[in-house]
Amino acid sequence: MALSEQEIIRREKLQNLRNLGINPYPANLFPVNHTSKQIKETFEEGKKVIVAGRLMSVRDQGKACFAELQDSEGRIQLYVNRDVLCEGDDKTLYNQVFKKLTDLGDFIGIEGELFTTQVGAKCIRVSGFTFLSKTLRPLPLPKVDEEGNVHDAFNDAELRYRMRYVDLTVNPQVKETFIKRTKLFTAMRSYFNDAGYLEVDTPVLQSIPGGASARPFITHHNSLDIPLYMRIANELYLKRLIVGGFEGVYEFSRNFRNEGMDRTHNPEFTAMEIYVAYKDYNWMMEFAEGLLEHCAIAVNGTSEVTFGEHKINFKAPYARVTMTDSIKHFTGFDISGKTEQELFEAARGMGIEVDETMGKGKLIDEIFGAKCEGNYIQPTFITDYPKEMSPLCKEHRDNPDLTERFELMVCGKEIANAYSELNDPIDQRERFEDQMRLAAKGDDEANGIIDEDFLRALEYGMPPTSGMGIGMDRLIMYLTNNASIQEVLLFPQMRPEKKQTIELSDEEKFIVDLLKGNDNKMDLQQLKVTANLSGKKWDASMKNLSKHGLTKVAVEGEFKFVELVEN
């Protein structure tokens, strides 16, 4: 591992702490009794407090320092006076440990009493200081000038997603997004629990990928010597529980789909699915309206949210439009009673990219996606989907060509999908067989496997049921005004880091050649003398070689060596 100059210095400080008998990573607990937020909300002059967190700034004033401590709930100002911290003659804790061996980003524990500064700032006068964890890498701390301009911001998206631990530390607004995400899950759980429904767990590893049309991830179980699939949905297992006698079950399901990544899709995502016996999709629409209004208020204190340039209101009720009417409205084409060939030709005539593997359902879905869904900004239920699009959905009570299904559209994207669930086992088998024919035709999203156990469960009888799935990641995007799904996932999927091609200066190439000629390792001073560079060129060359991971400095006793890093 190549070390930068600052990283080398921090490791030297680490050793110096140990030389002073200070453990930089103590095992014993630190008895925190207040947070920064609690101090500010219940401030009492002279009150004794114990806090802990990261040291984020220091303003040195000689025999005293002002500093900022950041904990999980914000920042609090510290006043560190040498003679208060070190009451006796020994001032080592202040002069050496705090001022010279402590760096920004270090975790420290503080004991002290509250007071108000002359300018009215709430502050802790430090009487006790404990090292809790030495950081070996410097934080990329943003700086704000007197005019409010931010400099050195940590805002490169790829770095932020890869190093979310740094992102959360230096960008407070990012932490707020994930606090709101947790509030959303809590609000939804409470809504379901208050209605008397039961939270359950179903398998992630499944012998048959079912419950949705998507390409699965495939793995292998060594002991059983069988292929297994990471679940693409949990629907069929939850329906089995309705067969078993539960009247309402729900699950927050981590799902996996082996498909592309973009600003609204991640191969690993969270969905909520709920199934309630003796209900239909009309009841579920009203239930969804109440649920989403409740969640928006729980997360933001209001049913109104801003997403990009749009103001969205989750207050019930929502508009309802059939899919047939939507397509007719935006394209002038009536899909009712059309053959697969007619749909294929219509889609091509609209400039939509289609191919011969697509069946009627996929063709209708492509037309709606290309021409209609982007027009729905406010929450809108799109209802009554053609049967070919919904292999697990009950036939419409008034039209055998349609199903009792809705999708809730917001800002041109689906966030919820619900059915009056198909509970006729004979009809369900026929729908599965239709899916197998599509898979044989080349549709890689069609399910080419019949779930015989699920059909057996239906044959034991499932009551009339309505089910709904909600994309939790997409919903929290809307509630926090984030246009990218990566912003609402703590650790989104990323491409492997690639090593960049490095262009070396002549001086840097010379230093590398010197190291190669000495078995890739030289005494630091000997290398500096041999290189015979000016101080400025030497410093710049060594800094860049270390920055690019080509060299590292190792300490062996009293000597420092420069080593060439093998790539």
Side-chain angles (χ1 to χ4, degrees), residues 11 24 28 35 49 54 61 65 99 101 221 238 246 263 311 321 336 358 376 388 402-403 408 420 456 475 519 529:
R11 279 165 170 75
N28 53 301
T35 66
V49 296
R54 285 187 188 270
Q61 298 181 345
C65 294
K99 290 190 67 174
L101 301 181
H221 192 290
L238 294 177
F246 290 108
R263 291 175 67 83
K311 295 283 188 181
V321 182
S336 303
M358 295 179 178
Y376 296 105
E388 293 83 2
L402 303 178
T403 57
L408 178 60
S420 293
R456 179 170 58 192
L475 178 56
D519 296 326
V529 171

Side-chain angles (χ1 to χ4, degrees), residues 266 270 484 515:
N266 194 69
T270 303
S484 170
L515 289 168

Side-chain angles (χ1 to χ4, degrees), residues 235-236 239 275 387 390-395 403-404 419-432 454-455 458 462-467:
E235 176 172 344
L236 302 188
K239 288 181 183 178
Y275 293 81
K387 184 181 291 186
S390 313
L392 297 167
C393 186
K394 183 170 285 188
E395 183 179 286
T403 57
E404 297 200 345
Y419 307 156
S420 293
E421 300 295 336
L422 180 58
N423 59 346
D424 179 344
I426 295 174
D427 189 358
Q428 182 65 84
R429 180 177 290 277
E430 292 173 353
R431 306 273 193 97
F432 279 156
F454 175 65
L455 290 173
L458 287 185
M462 185 176 85
T465 298
S466 183

Side-chain angles (χ1 to χ4, degrees), residues 10-33:
R10 289 190 178 219
R11 279 165 170 75
E12 291 173 349
K13 291 182 179 182
L14 178 73
Q15 187 57 50
N16 290 335
L17 286 170
R18 288 179 167 142
N19 293 342
L20 289 171
I22 298 172
N23 184 353
Y25 307 104
N28 53 301
L29 68 82
F30 187 77
V32 174
N33 61 16

Side-chain angles (χ1 to χ4, degrees), residues 171-234:
N171 293 323
Q173 73 280 6
V174 174
K175 181 178 285 189
E176 184 61 28
T177 292
F178 293 102
I179 291 172
K180 287 186 174 183
R181 183 184 173 105
T182 296
K183 286 182 178 179
L184 171 62
F185 281 74
T186 301
M188 199 170 280
R189 274 195 175 93
S190 67
Y191 197 86
F192 296 152
N193 293 342
D194 290 346
Y197 306 139
L198 184 71
E199 184 172 10
V200 297
D201 292 311
T202 63
V204 173
L205 289 174
Q206 301 180 352
S207 57
I208 296 174
S213 296
R215 194 183 316 164
F217 287 94
I218 305 172
T219 186
H220 187 83
H221 192 290
N222 291 333
S223 296
L224 296 177
D225 193 24
I226 59 171
L228 289 174
Y229 303 88
M230 302 289 284
R231 69 178 167 201
I232 57 175
N234 57 347

Side-chain angles (χ1 to χ4, degrees), residues 332-352:
F333 180 73
D334 188 352
I335 62 174
S336 303
K338 295 297 188 292
T339 65
E340 183 176 306
Q341 186 60 33
E342 288 173 321
L343 290 167
F344 183 84
E345 291 173 357
R348 283 183 41 171
M350 297 175 197
I352 299 170

